[in-house]
Amino acid sequence: MGVLAAAAAGLVDSTAGWLISAWIGPGRPAPGTSPGAIATTVVLVPLMAGAVGLVGAFAARLLGQRPL
């Protein structure tokens, strides 16, 4: 569950979060950024977040923590 939760958070962050940040101002892609670069970011952020969630879930299991 930790992996899925982290990957879902990464997906929301790389899509809706980026859109809101771009709307506010600081998250606008640099001029000339290709759609492929944006798509790569949208794919890689959830994958990296899922990997971090995997590490956290593994650590929790090693420490004997129970899910909430």
Side-chain angles (χ1 to χ4, degrees):
M1 292 300 286
V3 175
L4 293 176
L11 181 64
V12 170
D13 182 42
S14 67
T15 55
W18 198 1
L19 179 65
I20 292 168
S21 181
W23 181 60
I24 293 170
R28 290 188 183 116
T33 302
S34 71
I38 294 171
T40 300
T41 300
V42 170
V43 170
L44 288 181
V45 169
L47 289 176
M48 291 188 318
V52 171
L54 179 64
V55 170
F58 184 69
R61 178 138 321 187
L62 284 177
L63 297 173
Q65 301 295 317
R66 294 178 183 231
L68 297 174

